[in-house]
Amino acid sequence: MRFLLTDEQREFGRSLDALLTAADTPAVLRAWAAGDHGPGRALWGRLADAGVFALAVPEAYGGVGPLPVEAAVACVELGRHAVPGPVAETLAAGVLLAGAGGPVAEEWLPGIASGAAVVSLTLEGYGPYAPDADAADAVFTVTGDELRLAPGPGEPSASADPARRLFRPEPGGAPVAKGPAIRAAARAAGDTAAFATAALALGCGEELLRATVAYVKQRTQFGVPVGSFQAVKHRLADTLLGLEFARPLLYGAAVELASEVFRPGAGAGAGSAEGSSAAGAAVAAAKVAAGEAGYAAARTALQLHGAIGYTEELDLAWWLRRARPLRDVWGTPSACRARVLAG
């Protein structure tokens, strides 16, 4: 069995890194936080052209998926560059709608794959808020065995990340699909959202560590770089270990999702009860490890940057504000640990 990424998967990640490096994502983040979604939607379209959102959409609806390993590669890069928008939610919606099937899948999945549709959602058990609902073309909600299209984004709520606003969707809306398949599809969608968020958190932590290492090489005290101090080295080493221990859990969860939830014959996004439990436990393990590692990287970055870490003028502030929400959304650390034990 091969445990390493293929050359094609690595090249996919490098191509996304190059695309996003040229996109000036800090400027896109600032515009998104100010309510100007134009630059973010333009970047979203370029990512879709690269195939990112097609990874969660079956071929029957214009996608190339589901391909969880490639989705992990993509989301790590998007997390490293702090791409704004409901990335995890749109990928999860692809799984949800594929599992629902019927007219709602035919209407929305081709747009998700092509980047024409930005989607947010809420699922039972994960809280009432839909991230970036004001920028979404659709907000789906699942209650029991009913899938509804929310009539509006609803009122905004406070968010620690100004470029990731939270909304409680307006109640109501006619059901667009219902039945036992919706429950199974919602479970798979929740796993997908948690999995994608884990990858985003890992990427966020990697960028925080990279920026901090570069900074401590430049900042000096007593005539030497602070990065030469043993205490600083130990703190950075602990941060690196946390990120590196989370990485195999993330890709292990991708293998579980590919082999169980999305196995041939299970139906897109459906899977069996046993498969969902095993894959869900693997996703929960990845989520708690990546989320905690990313947040630890944020604390390290803030401490070693000193007071300038608080300033909005420093681009790093956008990553610092994103780390903790990524840790807590789509499964808090305590909820993920409980799921691992139960699984």
Side-chain angles (χ1 to χ4, degrees), residues 182-262:
I182 300 302
R183 289 183 181 270
R187 286 195 297 271
D191 288 344
T192 301
F195 170 72
T197 302
L200 293 169
L202 179 61
C204 180
E206 287 181 347
E207 175 57 21
L208 285 162
L209 178 60
R210 184 209 63 78
T212 305
V213 169
Y215 179 71
V216 298
K217 288 180 179 179
Q218 299 173 357
R219 181 185 172 193
T220 61
Q221 281 187 352
F222 311 114
V224 297
V226 297
S228 65
F229 299 161
Q230 189 176 42
V232 173
K233 289 180 179 179
H234 286 177
R235 186 68 183 266
L236 293 171
D238 289 343
T239 302
L240 177 61
L241 283 175
L243 295 168
E244 290 304 317
F245 273 105
R247 192 183 314 280
L249 290 176
L250 175 69
Y251 286 106
V255 172
E256 287 286 350
L257 286 171
S259 63
E260 296 185 10
V261 177
F262 301 118

Side-chain angles (χ1 to χ4, degrees), residues 294-315:
Y295 183 48
R299 295 199 312 248
T300 296
L302 183 60
Q303 181 181 17
L304 296 185
H305 275 81
I308 68 169
Y310 288 101
T311 62
E312 288 193 4
E313 290 77 9
L314 186 70
D315 290 344

Side-chain angles (χ1 to χ4, degrees), residues 54-66 94-95 97-99 109 113 268-269:
L55 295 172
V57 176
E59 293 183 17
Y61 298 100
V64 297
V95 172
L97 299 179
L109 286 178

Side-chain angles (χ1 to χ4, degrees), residues 12 15-16 19 44-55:
F12 179 49
S15 68
L16 291 176
L19 184 159
W44 193 279
R46 293 198 292 274
L47 291 169
D49 291 342
V52 170
F53 302 107
L55 295 172

Side-chain angles (χ1 to χ4, degrees), residues 100-143:
V104 66
E106 295 172 358
E107 179 181 359
W108 287 100
L109 286 178
I112 289 175
S114 69
V118 176
V119 177
S120 191
L121 80 163
T122 65
L123 301 172
E124 279 189 307
Y126 290 100
Y129 298 112
D132 296 309
D134 60 330
D137 300 296
V139 180
F140 291 98
T141 65
V142 175
T143 304

